[in-house]
Amino acid sequence: MTSEISFYRSSVQAMIQKDAPAFPAGIQFADIMIEDKHYSDPAASEEEDPGGSHAVAPSFFYKQISRFINPELL
Amino acid sequence: MIVIQSSADDAATQDVLDWMRYLRQDVPIADLYDTLPVDDLSLYIGDNGAAKNAVTVNGRRLDIGGIRSSWFRRGRFTMRADSKLPSWNRLAATENEDVLGLIDDLIYPGDRSINKFSDVLINKLKCLALAEKAGLLIPATLVTTAFTALLQFAREKQLIILKPIGTPFFKIACNERYNAHVVNKVSQVSHAQIERLGVLYPGDKMSTTCAQQYIEKKWEIRTVFLNNECYSMAIFSQQNEQTRIDFRNYDEERPNRCLPYSLPDTIVEKLRKLMLLLNINCGSIDMIYTPQKEYVFLEVNPVGQYGWLSTHCNYFIDKRIALLLLSRYDE
């Protein structure tokens, strides 16, 4: 699974670099998280985003954070 | 009637509702959650017809004249045309936006409401300009599509922040099993890092990029602005590498120290002026206190989280919201 995740992450990174003019410059420093849709963790629903940094964005991101895997943390 | 519109999973809304039920049991409350369709409506403009205004939302009739106070926190109303002609549906969608705007004004008239749906659509760039107009210090900011302009800005400021103008997320479907989520977070970058990006922009053109001068901070301040009062908290985020640029990169293992904080009266007055210019009566305001003892305004989120600040500082903001809604109901 780790190699698959690394592959998709690298692919997204490469795509963002190749198509750089279509994105704001900040995207080159973005975090890329890979979501495994087959993974579920009921305890993850207890997570919250206390300061509301992502109030506009889908709340599921922080609520189901354990479904997301950042290869740098592996 | 008191109207409360929110999302079903917002704990803060339930805390306010708990206070309202504790304080008063006789007040009818219409609590509306998430995305709700407008089933039908009749809205009269002029000709003394306001008393007859009514909207039915998801099967629930709201007599506009009977709404004595209201609170918009989350959620939205929708209207759609069901024609088989896509071109007509697109046209109707535009018209319906105007109607939804009118509903927003009628349910959330400002003097009897806390926030309104249209507050969600705040333009953060205009907000910065208005903050300066209100007399607040703001970080030097550049919005540009030219890489050379960004490079020059980075050269002048040495350390800059790149931040998303709107939502920081987007999703890419990799395959049936995996999605990639790109989080365009606030990043601190040096002139040298920007210089290295040059190879990616041979034509100098890039999508609109927002850059700000990096400002050293002693601490960050989150203020909840409610009913013309400021409830502030200092967040000591500077010592933690993870939260140094933005406390919202939470460190769950070693949370930042947070304390109640009194803003100087001059800053409070400027914040009041800003909220007046923005025409919003409630919001979460982020500021920085610098080593030079200056307050620098960063942004305001009209429907931001406050429960965390309220709990840390014993401000009981949920109770204050409940009391405010009830007092307006009684007026």
Side-chain angles (χ1 to χ4, degrees), chain A residues 1 4 8 15 21-27 29-31 33-37 49-53 57 63 68, chain B residues 9 169 172 175-185 187 189 201 205-209 222 248 250 305 308:
Chain A
M1 189 169 86
E4 253 186 302
Y8 287 121
M15 186 271 288
F23 296 103
I27 213 85
F29 304 95
D31 285 341
M33 314 281 265
I34 304 298
E35 176 195 15
D36 182 350
K37 288 185 276 187
D49 173 24
S53 60
K63 292 197 166 167
F68 295 82
Chain B
D9 63 353
F169 297 95
I172 302 166
N175 62 13
E176 280 184 2
R177 179 164 179 177
Y178 295 109
N179 284 331
H181 292 260
V182 181
V183 189
N184 185 14
K185 64 186 192 308
S187 304
V189 290
Y201 307 97
K205 182 101 172 106
M206 60 186 180
S207 185
T208 311
T209 294
R222 164 65 66 100
R248 294 170 303 183
Y250 311 113
Q305 298 282 17
W308 160 71

Side-chain angles (χ1 to χ4, degrees), chain B residues 269-313:
Chain B
E269 275 312 310
K270 287 171 182 175
L271 290 176
R272 285 181 180 140
K273 193 173 172 188
L274 169 64
M275 298 299 265
L276 204 60
L277 287 168
L278 289 167
N279 190 28
I280 54 178
N281 57 20
C282 179
S284 297
I285 297 163
D286 289 332
M287 284 189 291
I288 281 175
Y289 184 70
T290 71
Q292 292 75 39
K293 301 183 178 177
E294 290 174 324
Y295 290 88
V296 180
F297 171 87
L298 296 179
E299 64 179 49
V300 55
N301 181 355
V303 289
Q305 298 282 17
Y306 62 79
W308 160 71
L309 172 145
S310 181
T311 307
H312 264 295
C313 302

